[in-house]
Amino acid sequence: MNIKERVEEITKTLERYNYEYYVLDNPSVPDSEYDRLMQELIAIEKEHPELINPYSPTQRVGGKVLSEFKKIKHKRLMLSLANAFNEEDLRHFDQQIKDATNLDKVEYMCEMKIDGLAMSLDYENGSLNYAATRGDGLEGEDVTNNVITIKSIPTSVKQKNPFEVRGEVYMSKKTLEQLNKARMENNEPLLANARNAAAGSIRQLDSSIAASRKLQAFWYYLVNADELGFSRHSDALDYIESLGFRTNKERRICNGIEEVLKYIEEYTQKRQSLDYDIDGIVIKVNDITLYDILGYTAKTPKWAIAYKFPPEEVITKLEDIIFTVGRTGKITPNAVIKPTKVAGSTVQRATLHNEDFINDKGLMIGDYIVLRKAGDVIPEVVRPIIERRTGQETPFTMIDNCPVCGEPLVKKDAMHFCVNEHCPAKKIEGMIHFASRNAMDIDGMGEKIVEEFFNEGFISDIASIYEIAKYREQIISIDGWKDKSVDNLINAIEKSKDNSLERLLFGLGIKEVGEKMAKTLSKKYLNLDAFFSLDEEQLMQIPDVGPVLAHSLVEYFKNENNRQLIEKLRNHGLNFQYLGKVVANENNFFNGKTIVLTGTLTKYGRTEATQILEDLGAKVSGSVSKKTSIVIYGSEAGSKLDKANALGIRTMGEEEFIEILNSINN
C-alpha cells in the first residue's frame, strides 16, 4: 500500500468514526484509537502536503448536523481545541505563546475538560434566544426546547446587550448510576457512559425525556467578552457566574507553565472524586487582548489547548483465558492480553470475574477487545469487537477441575470453588493475605516471597510463617538474599506478633469478614477466644452483621482444623487482645453516630480522624446518605458537603470538630 492509498484508507475510517461519534453518539472505538489514526494522518500530511484534501479530517472541526432539528449558523465559529498528550506538548504550546507575545511568563486559566456535549447559548435583550450544539463548527442544531429543561440555565438575565456563552452539558455519575439501575429493573438496555447519555438526552425530540434525565451544565466561555469590556478570561467567567450561569469551581489561574503542570498533576489524582467525568484539562491564555495576536488555525484557537489524560480505553487482543485459585478456593478466570499500555502502565492480565461475566460479554479467545482501567487502576474488559472476528476465535469453556490440585469444582451461585482444604493455591493465597499490609503487615513478605518459600518447603500455612527463622541459612543461600535482608524479614515477622486483634482476625481470611468488620468485631469482643463460644443469633445483634456473615464466623471457629491453627498461633506468641481504645464514655457526642469526612483536614489527616472517631464509637462512612448523622468538612470540600446540605444533614467544620474532641478529652 502506497502513501496515497494509506491516506485514503485513514480518511475513510476517521470519517466513519466521526459519524458514529458526532452524529450517532455511538462510537465503535475508544478515543485512543481515533487519536492514533488522526496523529498518523497529521504526520503523513506534514511530510506530504500535496496529499492534503480540503475535506480531510485534519481540516475539519468534525461531525455532521442531525436533520431532525432546525439548523442554526453560529455567529462565530465553534472551534475545537488542539490536543496535548504529555508535558512536552504543553511546554511547546507555552513556548509558542511566549514567542508570539514576547512575554517571559504567561498567565493561564486551567479548567476541567468536561466529558459531555458542547453547547452554545445565545441571549438577546436579556432573554435566551436559542441553544445550539456544536454540529460541524459552522452550524449546529437548535435544541432549545431540551436545554431549557436544565433548571440551572437562566432563561433571562440582567445583561441586555447581545452575548453568547459556551459550555458543556453533561450527566453526573450519580444520575447515570440511578438511571441505569432503573433501566436494569425495567429490562431496558443500559446507558454506556455519561457523555453518550447526555448527548442522547439532548437529541430527544420529546423534551419530557430530556427533562427526566436530570442533566447539568458548566459554562466556560463568554464568546464576545471583549465587546462587553473584559480583558481577562477569568473576569469574564466571574461575570457570567454573577448573571446566574453555573461555572466550574475547580478552575484556577496559573502563573506560568510550571503551575499548569502542578494543576494537571493534582487533578489527575482528583478526577475520580469528582461527580462528573472529565477527560482532560483545558488551558487558556487568560489575557483576552492577546487572542487576536495569537490567532487561529483553520480548526483551533492558538491561545488554548486541551491536555488529554492517558486513554482510559484501548483496543488489544484476548490471547487466552487462564484460571487462578483464591484463598477461599474461588476460581477466577483471567484474560491473558496482548501487552498494551493503559493509563500509563502496561497491562497483560485482567480479571474476568466468573463464567457468567464472560458469557454475558460474549467473549471468545482470540477476540479483539476494548480494555479500560476502572478508576484508572483495575484493568477491565469492556466488550469484544465482534466486527473484527475472523472465524479463528475459540469459544470459552469453563473448567470442571481445580487448575492446581485437580479436584472437582463446586459451583455456588455464579462462582466456582475448589473445596479441597489441602489445595496448594489456596494455602499460598491465604498466606499472602495474612502477611499483607492491611492484615498482619509483615514487611518483605510479598506474593513472590510467599510463593518461593512455599515451593522451597519453608512454609506450609500461616502458622509456619512464625517458624521461618529456622531456615535462615537455607534462605541466605538463595540468590538475592543476604544476612541483612533475612534478618529484616525475621524481625518483621516477630514484630507482627504484637499486632492488635483486628489485624489477626482479618488476616485469618474468614469469609465475609473484611477489614472494617474485623475491627468492629474486635472492639465488641476484645479477645479472640470469645469467638469460640458465639452463636449466630448473638452475632446478628451487631450492626451490619447479617446471617451470611454470622454463619461464616460460627462455622470457622467450629472447624477443628481452624482451631488447631489458632492454637499454633497462640503457641508462637501472637497477641489475641484488642489493643485499640474502647469507648470509656459511651455518652460522648460521637458514639453511635454515622460520620462522613470530606475535604482537607489540617490538624488530623483523614486516617487519623477516622481512627479517633471509631475509638469514640462512631461509624465512619465513605458516602453521604439519609443514614448519615454528620458530615465533617475541611477545606476544598466538594460534592459530599453539597449533598449533605441538600439532604438537610448536619454539617460540622473542622474547628467545631476539634472543639468537641477537646471537650470529650477534658
Side-chain angles (χ1 to χ4, degrees):
M1 180 184 296
N2 59 41
I3 294 294
K4 185 177 179 180
E5 289 172 339
R6 179 58 179 159
V7 167
E8 290 173 352
E9 182 185 63
I10 296 175
T11 298
K12 287 180 180 178
T13 303
L14 289 176
E15 285 175 347
R16 177 164 61 86
Y17 290 166
N18 273 337
Y19 178 80
E20 292 169 345
Y21 191 94
Y22 291 102
V23 180
L24 301 180
D25 289 310
N26 186 29
S28 62
V29 296
D31 289 350
S32 58
E33 181 72 356
Y34 181 96
D35 291 336
R36 184 185 66 79
L37 289 175
M38 179 65 81
Q39 292 303 309
E40 181 180 350
L41 184 57
I42 290 171
I44 293 174
E45 290 182 347
K46 188 175 181 180
E47 288 190 15
H48 304 276
E50 71 277 8
L51 297 179
I52 298 177
N53 187 296
Y55 300 105
S56 168
T58 64
Q59 306 302 302
R60 302 176 60 205
V61 173
K64 293 184 179 181
V65 180
L66 293 176
S67 60
E68 290 88 344
F69 294 98
K70 184 180 75 174
K71 295 178 182 178
I72 289 184
K73 188 171 182 178
H74 295 299
K75 293 177 180 177
R76 296 191 187 184
L77 285 175
M78 201 165 176
L79 301 174
S80 58
L81 297 177
N83 290 324
F85 296 95
N86 49 49
E87 181 179 330
E88 181 181 352
D89 291 344
L90 290 169
R91 290 191 182 279
H92 177 68
F93 166 74
D94 177 59
Q95 190 59 52
Q96 287 184 315
I97 302 295
K98 289 191 286 191
D99 290 345
T101 60
N102 293 318
L103 293 171
D104 293 326
K105 185 178 283 189
V106 181
E107 186 179 81
Y108 296 105
M109 171 62 80
C110 289
E111 303 168 65
M112 302 291 98
K113 187 174 183 296
I114 310 298
D115 197 11
L117 181 68
M119 191 66 59
S120 170
L121 302 180
D122 187 80
Y123 287 80
E124 290 182 2
N125 297 317
S127 297
L128 178 64
N129 188 22
Y130 62 79
T133 62
R134 183 199 302 274
D136 64 359
L138 294 169
E139 55 183 18
E141 304 137 340
D142 184 349
V143 290
T144 309
N145 287 341
N146 287 339
V147 168
I148 61 175
T149 67
I150 303 173
K151 295 178 181 179
S152 65
I153 295 176
T155 55
S156 61
V157 293
K158 61 185 179 182
Q159 172 59 261
K160 301 303 179 184
N161 293 327
F163 71 95
E164 179 185 353
V165 293
R166 291 175 181 172
E168 204 86 6
V169 173
Y170 73 93
M171 181 178 287
S172 72
K173 294 176 182 177
K174 178 184 175 182
T175 298
L176 178 64
E177 182 180 346
Q178 291 173 339
L179 282 173
N180 274 338
K181 184 177 180 181
R183 292 172 76 90
M184 183 181 295
E185 291 171 355
N186 295 326
N187 293 318
E188 296 175 313
L190 301 186
L191 301 170
N193 54 57
R195 186 212 172 271
N196 286 1
S201 302
I202 287 295
R203 290 194 171 102
Q204 294 288 335
L205 294 177
D206 182 354
S207 61
S208 67
I209 297 176
S212 70
R213 297 287 176 85
K214 300 179 182 178
L215 299 175
Q216 259 301 359
F218 285 123
W219 305 98
Y220 51 65
Y221 182 40
L222 178 59
V223 177
N224 53 327
D226 53 345
E227 296 173 1
L228 296 174
F230 295 99
S231 59
R232 299 174 81 234
H233 173 57
S234 55
D235 293 336
L237 286 178
D238 292 342
Y239 177 69
I240 64 173
E241 184 176 0
S242 74
L243 291 178
F245 293 92
R246 192 166 177 264
T247 62
N248 192 291
K249 301 294 187 182
E250 307 295 334
R251 66 181 183 267
R252 186 182 303 165
I253 296 173
C254 293
N255 190 19
I257 194 65
E258 298 302 330
E259 288 189 16
V260 170
L261 294 172
K262 289 179 181 177
Y263 179 91
I264 289 172
E265 182 180 0
E266 176 183 341
Y267 277 90
T268 298
Q269 302 300 319
K270 284 186 177 180
R271 61 184 290 211
Q272 295 302 327
S273 67
L274 301 173
D275 189 39
Y276 46 87
D277 289 327
I278 60 173
D279 57 3
I281 302 293
V282 173
I283 302 101
K284 299 174 186 171
V285 173
N286 200 31
D287 189 343
I288 295 173
T289 64
L290 298 177
Y291 289 8
D292 287 339
I293 296 171
L294 294 167
Y296 304 78
T297 68
K299 58 176 288 189
T300 63
K302 293 183 179 179
W303 41 266
I305 198 166
Y307 169 79
K308 296 195 74 174
F309 291 125
E312 295 181 1
E313 292 189 349
V314 298
I315 291 176
T316 187
K317 193 170 186 179
L318 175 59
E319 296 184 328
D320 199 0
I321 295 176
I322 61 174
F323 301 88
T324 54
V325 185
R327 59 187 171 85
T328 63
K330 185 175 76 172
I331 307 298
T332 303
N334 296 275
V336 178
I337 299 162
K338 183 178 180 181
T340 188
K341 201 162 190 177
V342 189
S345 62
T346 300
V347 174
Q348 300 181 67
R349 298 280 192 276
T351 180
L352 296 175
H353 304 290
N354 54 54
E355 180 183 20
D356 290 350
F357 178 89
I358 298 170
N359 292 335
D360 290 345
K361 294 281 185 185
L363 296 172
M364 298 179 71
I365 298 170
D367 271 337
Y368 281 92
I369 57 172
V370 175
L371 184 75
R372 69 183 175 202
K373 275 195 173 180
D376 282 349
V377 176
I378 304 170
E380 176 185 15
V381 175
V382 181
R383 64 181 182 275
I385 303 177
I386 295 173
E387 58 269 27
R388 291 183 67 169
R389 284 181 175 164
T390 63
Q392 301 299 310
E393 295 78 18
T394 306
F396 166 76
T397 303
M398 186 63 194
I399 57 175
D400 296 317
N401 298 85
C402 176
V404 176
C405 70
E407 290 295 308
L409 301 180
V410 173
K411 188 173 184 181
K412 183 179 180 182
D413 298 324
M415 306 296 181
H416 288 76
F417 291 88
C418 172
V419 294
N420 176 15
E421 290 186 3
H422 304 291
C423 178
K426 290 171 65 174
K427 291 184 176 182
I428 290 172
E429 290 298 324
M431 288 186 284
I432 291 170
H433 171 75
F434 183 82
S436 66
R437 179 174 298 177
N438 293 338
M440 296 300 281
D441 192 22
I442 301 176
D443 188 27
M445 196 131 195
E447 294 182 19
K448 291 182 179 178
I449 301 302
V450 170
E451 189 169 349
E452 181 180 37
F453 284 6
F454 181 86
N455 292 333
E456 292 287 343
F458 302 154
I459 55 177
S460 57
D461 59 19
I462 60 177
S464 65
I465 291 173
Y466 294 94
E467 300 171 8
I468 202 70
K470 66 184 181 183
Y471 297 104
R472 186 180 184 281
E473 297 306 317
Q474 291 97 312
I475 295 172
I476 291 174
S477 67
I478 299 173
D479 287 343
W481 287 93
K482 296 181 180 178
D483 285 347
K484 186 174 181 180
S485 57
V486 175
D487 289 341
N488 286 341
L489 176 60
I490 292 171
N491 290 336
I493 292 170
E494 284 298 308
K495 182 182 176 183
S496 74
K497 293 179 180 180
D498 298 327
N499 284 334
S500 184
L501 172 61
E502 68 272 18
R503 285 187 172 272
L504 174 58
L505 190 60
F506 178 54
L508 290 174
I510 304 167
K511 286 182 182 179
E512 308 297 331
V513 179
E515 189 178 355
K516 266 195 168 184
M517 181 51 63
K519 187 164 188 177
T520 298
L521 292 167
S522 297
K523 289 178 73 172
K524 174 71 175 175
Y525 296 110
L526 303 179
N527 191 296
L528 190 65
D529 289 328
F531 289 90
F532 288 108
S533 58
L534 293 175
D535 59 37
E536 294 180 28
E537 188 175 339
Q538 288 174 295
L539 286 163
M540 284 192 288
Q541 301 304 311
I542 302 172
D544 298 328
V545 175
V548 175
L549 194 156
H551 180 73
S552 178
L553 269 168
V554 171
E555 288 300 307
Y556 181 89
F557 285 98
K558 278 171 54 178
N559 184 285
E560 187 57 34
N561 289 332
N562 295 334
R563 285 173 172 263
Q564 291 176 10
L565 175 67
I566 290 170
E567 283 307 306
K568 288 181 182 178
L569 294 175
R570 189 195 306 276
N571 292 334
H572 284 305
L574 271 72
N575 171 62
F576 282 13
Q577 294 283 127
Y578 175 66
L579 303 178
K581 291 182 181 178
V582 179
V583 181
N585 175 16
E586 293 192 352
N587 294 320
N588 79 73
F589 179 80
F590 293 110
N591 187 33
K593 291 183 172 66
T594 299
I595 311 293
V596 172
L597 300 171
T598 186
T600 302
L601 301 175
T602 54
K603 182 170 182 178
Y604 302 108
R606 188 77 62 87
T607 302
E608 187 179 359
T610 298
Q611 182 69 55
I612 291 170
L613 287 165
E614 288 181 345
D615 288 341
L616 291 170
K619 176 183 177 183
V620 180
S621 174
S623 59
V624 178
S625 71
K626 291 181 180 179
K627 294 181 179 179
T628 303
S629 308
I630 303 170
V631 171
I632 298 173
Y633 63 91
S635 61
E636 298 184 10
S639 59
K640 292 178 182 177
L641 182 59
D642 294 338
K643 183 174 181 179
N645 289 327
L647 292 174
I649 294 167
R650 177 173 179 179
T651 60
M652 180 185 294
E654 184 179 13
E655 187 175 338
E656 183 183 357
F657 172 50
I658 293 171
E659 286 179 3
I660 294 174
L661 287 181
N662 289 337
S663 69
I664 293 172
N665 293 330
N666 293 331

